[in-house]
Amino acid sequence: MATLPTLIAQSDLEERFTALTVQRYADDATGAGIAANVATALGEASDVLRSILGPAYSEEQVVALVADDRAVRGAACDIAMALLGRRRAEFRNADGSTPYAMERRDAERTLERIAKRERRPGGEASAGANQTAIGVDTNRPATALIFQGSRDN
């Protein structure tokens, strides 16, 4: 299976979290190197993003969403930082959770809402531009509203 390119870059992480924070989370003293650790996290975060948005969007649409929608790009960065945080055992919280775990959870929920059309992506130019959704019922019958009469009518 071919490896797809990453959807975000280290510069996106550094813009969102600062270069020093990214360096601290990526440097795990294993000798693998900061750049290699960041590349691994970016690749895995991109795969997570594709797995969530993939059923609703084509690869080209996912790439466009990451480029055009700050919320999608930010969600990918949150996921990548959570993945980097797993590398550092000393950063774990008392309950065993990792830094940015809550942000990752929120990011994945945001992406799921975009995939289910509960949240319209900010980069979408017009409503209905994505025609790949399955099971979306847009032609619902109008509900008849019956109001109780009053003495003033």
Side-chain angles (χ1 to χ4, degrees):
M1 185 156 135
T3 302
L4 295 170
T6 60
L7 297 169
I8 56 173
Q10 184 171 343
S11 60
D12 294 318
L13 280 180
E14 292 172 351
E15 182 179 318
R16 188 165 176 97
F17 298 103
T18 77
L20 182 59
T21 301
V22 173
Q23 182 179 359
R24 285 180 179 166
Y25 277 72
D27 184 12
D28 62 1
T30 63
I34 292 171
N37 292 339
V38 171
T40 300
L42 293 175
E44 191 174 343
S46 296
D47 291 345
V48 170
L49 191 89
R50 284 183 177 100
S51 72
I52 295 172
L53 294 177
Y57 294 93
S58 68
E59 175 66 17
E60 294 79 22
Q61 289 171 320
V62 170
V63 170
L65 274 174
V66 173
D68 297 337
D69 191 336
R70 289 183 297 262
V72 173
R73 192 169 46 255
C77 289
D78 289 347
I79 292 168
M81 279 303 286
L83 293 169
L84 280 174
R86 291 189 318 188
R87 305 182 69 80
R88 302 290 301 261
E90 67 272 20
F91 287 170
R92 292 193 183 266
N93 298 322
D95 64 356
S97 65
T98 59
Y100 299 106
M102 188 181 316
E103 287 83 353
R104 178 183 179 172
R105 202 171 322 121
D106 292 342
E108 289 180 356
R109 284 188 196 130
T110 297
L111 295 171
E112 288 166 358
R113 289 180 63 209
I114 290 171
K116 292 178 182 176
R117 309 306 188 276
E118 293 174 6
R119 181 184 178 281
R120 183 173 169 193
E124 189 175 45
S126 62
N130 183 355
Q131 300 297 320
T132 61
I134 298 173
V136 176
D137 183 12
T138 58
N139 296 320
R140 296 183 196 142
T143 304
L145 300 175
I146 303 171
F147 296 96
Q148 183 72 25
S150 70
R151 293 181 190 177
D152 298 332
N153 290 356

